[in-house]
Amino acid sequence: MTVTSSAVIVNPSKVIDLDERRREICDLLGAAGWPEPLWLTTTPEDPGCGMAVQAVEAGVDVAFVCGGDGTVMAVASVLAGTDVALALVPSGTGNLLATNLGITRDVRTAVEVAIHGDRRRIDVGIVEGADTSTGHPGTFTVMAGMGFDAEMLDATPDTAKRRFGWLAYVAAGARRLTRKRVLMRIRLDGGRWIRRRARSVLVANVGRLQGGIPLLPDARPDDGWLDVAVLTPRDLTDWIMLGWGVVMRRGGTRQLETFRARKVEVHTGQDQARELDGDVVAPARMLVARIAPAALTLCVPRTPASPEPPESPAAPEAARATPPRGA
């Protein structure tokens, strides 16, 4: 029998009882015949990049991540391009990658996904010039954003997130709904510049937001594309119409345009708030993101029958953009 070695990278701020979590995971792995995992704890100075480097250098087969989307992002930035599989043990507020891939917050079930589940190669997004505090290039598995979404995340206190979960973001966002739109220039795969007055541009690898809201229902993390949402509501009424259209999965609204590309450039005339997988990064006048296809191996629930592999992305000329929904 092949022996599977592993590491557990845990964010202590996201786990109530570290000793209990460690016993639970070690017992589950031991029962499956896996050896004692390498146990690594993140710090305020290092959200997980250094721990992921230690795991890779130790030669582990699987790296478990007990934390939120920010911890996953940090670990994924190191594991991308390696053969080490990432296993999610959701422990944060959003856990959007886990939500989009059907991975439960139950620790036992999440660990069993790594032991008995499948391995899936997924894409990651790379944001140029968005270095984190540890100096690693900006990597996202869920989405990057400029504008309203980053403002909302920046305004949500950690105490509120711990107490109210994703609903804390709703309260923070509601106070910013009436801010003015900003002129943004968007270019897809080197094509012509598209000009919009927008509140936010989201560049996504998956399509569901907090609370399971299907902003980009056609987005898939292994299709070689970035899905782009341009939000252009002018006032509170527009925000209500946008929210209703998204929740009801209507074909499109005039407040939301969607595109697809492998490289996305967003430019503005003044610094705007930006975020990667829920972590706020330095404001800037531009957001440049590109796709790294099939860069990361992820442990996912086993399915009765594997789906057909997605078609390879077409040549850049054909990848300019899909027609805007609702246009």
Coordinates of all heavy atoms in Angstrom, one line a residue, residues 6-12 38-60 62-66 70-71 74-79 84 134 136:
S6 N 1.6 13.9 4.6 CA 0.8 15.1 4.6 C 1.3 16.1 5.6 O 2.1 15.8 6.5 CB -0.6 14.8 4.9 OG -0.8 14.3 6.3
A7 N 0.9 17.3 5.4 CA 1.1 18.5 6.3 C -0.2 19.1 6.5 O -1.1 19.1 5.7 CB 2.1 19.5 5.7
V8 N -0.4 19.7 7.7 CA -1.5 20.5 8.1 C -1.1 21.9 8.3 O -0.3 22.1 9.3 CB -2.3 19.9 9.3 CG1 -3.5 20.7 9.6 CG2 -2.7 18.4 9.0
I9 N -1.6 22.8 7.5 CA -1.3 24.2 7.7 C -2.5 24.9 8.3 O -3.6 24.9 7.7 CB -0.9 24.9 6.4 CG1 0.3 24.2 5.8 CG2 -0.7 26.4 6.5 CD1 0.7 24.6 4.4
V10 N -2.4 25.4 9.5 CA -3.6 25.8 10.3 C -3.4 27.3 10.6 O -2.4 27.8 11.1 CB -3.8 25.0 11.5 CG1 -2.6 25.0 12.5 CG2 -5.1 25.4 12.3
N11 N -4.5 28.1 10.4 CA -4.6 29.5 10.9 C -5.2 29.5 12.2 O -6.4 29.2 12.4 CB -5.4 30.3 9.9 CG -5.5 31.7 10.2 OD1 -5.2 32.1 11.4 ND2 -5.8 32.6 9.2
P12 N -4.4 29.8 13.3 CA -5.0 29.7 14.7 C -6.1 30.6 14.9 O -6.9 30.4 15.8 CB -3.7 29.9 15.5 CG -2.8 30.7 14.7 CD -3.0 30.2 13.3
L38 N 2.9 16.5 9.3 CA 3.6 17.7 9.7 C 2.7 18.8 10.0 O 1.8 19.1 9.2 CB 4.5 18.1 8.5 CG 5.4 19.3 8.7 CD1 6.5 19.1 9.8 CD2 6.1 19.7 7.3
W39 N 2.8 19.4 11.2 CA 1.8 20.4 11.7 C 2.5 21.8 11.7 O 3.5 22.0 12.3 CB 1.4 20.0 13.1 CG 0.1 20.8 13.5 CD1 0.0 21.9 14.1 CD2 -1.2 20.3 13.3 NE1 -1.3 22.3 14.4 CE2 -2.1 21.3 13.8 CE3 -1.8 19.2 12.7 CZ2 -3.5 21.2 13.8 CZ3 -3.2 19.1 12.7 CH2 -4.0 20.1 13.2
L40 N 1.9 22.7 10.9 CA 2.5 24.0 10.7 C 1.4 25.1 11.0 O 0.3 25.0 10.5 CB 3.0 24.1 9.3 CG 4.0 23.1 8.8 CD1 4.2 23.2 7.3 CD2 5.4 23.3 9.5
T41 N 1.8 26.1 11.7 CA 0.9 27.2 12.1 C 1.2 28.5 11.5 O 2.4 28.9 11.5 CB 0.9 27.3 13.7 OG1 0.6 26.0 14.3 CG2 -0.2 28.3 14.1
T42 N 0.3 29.1 10.9 CA 0.5 30.4 10.3 C 0.7 31.5 11.4 O 0.4 31.3 12.5 CB -0.7 30.9 9.4 OG1 -1.8 31.1 10.2 CG2 -1.0 29.8 8.4
T43 N 1.2 32.6 11.0 CA 1.5 33.8 11.9 C 0.9 35.0 11.2 O 0.6 35.1 10.0 CB 3.0 34.0 12.1 OG1 3.6 34.4 10.9 CG2 3.6 32.7 12.6
P44 N 0.7 36.1 12.0 CA 0.3 37.4 11.4 C 1.2 37.9 10.3 O 0.8 38.5 9.4 CB 0.2 38.3 12.6 CG 0.0 37.4 13.8 CD 0.8 36.2 13.5
E45 N 2.5 37.5 10.4 CA 3.5 38.0 9.5 C 3.5 37.1 8.2 O 3.9 37.5 7.1 CB 4.9 38.0 10.1 CG 5.1 39.0 11.2 CD 4.4 38.5 12.5 OE1 4.3 37.3 12.7 OE2 4.0 39.4 13.3
D46 N 3.1 35.8 8.4 CA 3.1 34.9 7.3 C 1.8 34.1 7.2 O 1.6 33.3 8.1 CB 4.3 33.9 7.4 CG 4.5 33.0 6.2 OD1 3.5 32.9 5.4 OD2 5.6 32.4 6.0
P47 N 0.9 34.4 6.3 CA -0.4 33.8 6.2 C -0.4 32.4 5.7 O -1.5 31.8 5.7 CB -1.2 34.7 5.3 CG -0.1 35.3 4.4 CD 1.1 35.4 5.2
G48 N 0.8 31.8 5.4 CA 0.8 30.4 5.0 C 1.8 30.1 3.9 O 2.1 29.0 3.6
C49 N 2.4 31.1 3.3 CA 3.3 30.9 2.2 C 4.6 30.1 2.7 O 5.0 29.1 2.1 CB 3.8 32.2 1.5 SG 2.4 33.1 0.8
G50 N 5.2 30.6 3.8 CA 6.3 29.9 4.3 C 6.1 28.5 4.8 O 6.9 27.6 4.6
M51 N 4.9 28.3 5.3 CA 4.5 27.0 5.8 C 4.3 26.0 4.6 O 4.7 24.9 4.6 CB 3.2 27.0 6.6 CG 3.3 27.8 7.9 SD 3.3 29.6 7.6 CE 4.2 30.2 9.0
A52 N 3.8 26.6 3.5 CA 3.6 25.8 2.3 C 5.0 25.4 1.7 O 5.1 24.3 1.2 CB 2.7 26.5 1.3
V53 N 5.9 26.3 1.7 CA 7.3 26.0 1.3 C 7.9 24.9 2.1 O 8.5 24.0 1.6 CB 8.2 27.3 1.3 CG1 9.6 26.9 1.1 CG2 7.7 28.3 0.3
Q54 N 7.7 24.9 3.4 CA 8.2 23.9 4.3 C 7.6 22.5 3.9 O 8.2 21.5 3.9 CB 7.9 24.2 5.8 CG 8.6 25.3 6.3 CD 8.3 25.5 7.8 OE1 8.4 24.6 8.6 NE2 7.8 26.7 8.1
A55 N 6.2 22.5 3.6 CA 5.6 21.3 3.3 C 6.1 20.7 2.0 O 6.3 19.5 1.8 CB 4.1 21.6 3.1
V56 N 6.3 21.6 1.0 CA 6.9 21.1 -0.3 C 8.3 20.6 -0.1 O 8.6 19.5 -0.6 CB 6.9 22.3 -1.3 CG1 7.6 21.9 -2.6 CG2 5.4 22.7 -1.7
E57 N 9.1 21.3 0.6 CA 10.5 20.8 0.9 C 10.5 19.5 1.6 O 11.5 18.7 1.5 CB 11.2 21.9 1.6 CG 11.5 23.2 0.7 CD 12.2 24.3 1.5 OE1 12.3 24.2 2.7 OE2 12.7 25.2 0.8
A58 N 9.5 19.3 2.5 CA 9.4 18.0 3.2 C 9.0 16.9 2.4 O 9.0 15.7 2.8 CB 8.5 18.2 4.4
G59 N 8.5 17.2 1.2 CA 8.1 16.1 0.2 C 6.7 15.5 0.5 O 6.5 14.3 0.1
V60 N 5.8 16.2 1.1 CA 4.5 15.7 1.4 C 3.7 15.5 0.1 O 4.0 16.2 -0.9 CB 3.7 16.6 2.4 CG1 4.5 16.8 3.7 CG2 3.4 17.9 1.8
V62 N 0.1 15.6 0.3 CA -1.1 16.4 0.5 C -0.8 17.5 1.6 O -0.2 17.2 2.6 CB -2.3 15.5 0.9 CG1 -3.5 16.4 1.2 CG2 -2.6 14.5 -0.1
A63 N -1.3 18.7 1.3 CA -1.2 19.8 2.3 C -2.6 20.2 2.7 O -3.4 20.7 1.8 CB -0.4 21.0 1.8
F64 N -3.0 19.9 3.9 CA -4.3 20.3 4.4 C -4.2 21.8 4.8 O -3.2 22.2 5.4 CB -4.7 19.5 5.6 CG -5.1 18.1 5.3 CD1 -4.1 17.1 5.3 CD2 -6.4 17.7 5.1 CE1 -4.4 15.8 5.1 CE2 -6.7 16.4 4.8 CZ -5.7 15.4 4.8
V65 N -5.3 22.6 4.5 CA -5.4 24.0 4.9 C -6.6 24.1 5.8 O -7.7 24.0 5.4 CB -5.5 24.9 3.7 CG1 -5.6 26.4 4.2 CG2 -4.3 24.7 2.8
C66 N -6.3 24.5 7.1 CA -7.4 24.8 8.1 C -7.4 26.3 8.2 O -6.6 26.9 9.0 CB -7.2 24.1 9.4 SG -7.2 22.4 9.4
G70 N -8.2 33.5 2.6 CA -6.9 34.1 2.6 C -5.7 33.1 2.9 O -4.7 33.2 2.2
T71 N -6.0 32.2 3.8 CA -5.0 31.1 4.0 C -4.8 30.2 2.8 O -3.7 29.8 2.4 CB -5.3 30.3 5.3 OG1 -5.7 31.2 6.4 CG2 -4.2 29.4 5.7
A74 N -2.8 31.9 0.1 CA -1.4 31.9 0.4 C -0.7 30.6 0.1 O 0.3 30.5 -0.5 CB -1.1 32.3 1.9
V75 N -1.4 29.5 0.6 CA -0.8 28.2 0.3 C -0.9 27.8 -1.1 O 0.1 27.3 -1.7 CB -1.6 27.1 1.2 CG1 -1.1 25.7 0.8 CG2 -1.4 27.4 2.7
A76 N -1.9 28.2 -1.8 CA -2.1 27.8 -3.2 C -1.0 28.5 -4.1 O -0.6 28.0 -5.1 CB -3.5 28.2 -3.7
S77 N -0.6 29.7 -3.6 CA 0.4 30.5 -4.4 C 1.7 29.7 -4.5 O 2.5 29.9 -5.4 CB 0.6 31.9 -3.8 OG 1.3 31.8 -2.6
V78 N 2.0 28.9 -3.4 CA 3.2 28.1 -3.4 C 3.0 26.7 -4.1 O 3.8 26.2 -4.8 CB 3.7 27.9 -1.9 CG1 4.9 26.9 -1.9 CG2 4.0 29.2 -1.3
L79 N 1.8 26.1 -3.8 CA 1.6 24.7 -4.3 C 1.3 24.7 -5.8 O 1.5 23.7 -6.5 CB 0.4 24.1 -3.6 CG 0.5 23.9 -2.1 CD1 -0.6 23.0 -1.6 CD2 1.9 23.3 -1.7
V84 N 2.1 18.6 -5.2 CA 1.4 18.5 -3.9 C 0.0 18.9 -4.0 O -0.4 20.0 -4.5 CB 2.2 19.4 -2.9 CG1 1.5 19.3 -1.5 CG2 3.6 19.1 -2.8
T134 N 4.3 39.2 2.2 CA 5.4 38.2 2.3 C 6.3 38.3 1.0 O 7.3 37.6 0.9 CB 4.9 36.8 2.5 OG1 4.0 36.4 1.5 CG2 4.2 36.7 3.8
H136 N 5.3 37.3 -2.0 CA 4.9 36.4 -3.1 C 3.9 37.0 -4.1 O 3.2 37.9 -3.7 CB 4.2 35.2 -2.4 CG 5.1 34.2 -1.8 ND1 5.7 33.1 -2.4 CD2 5.7 34.2 -0.5 CE1 6.5 32.5 -1.6 NE2 6.5 33.1 -0.4

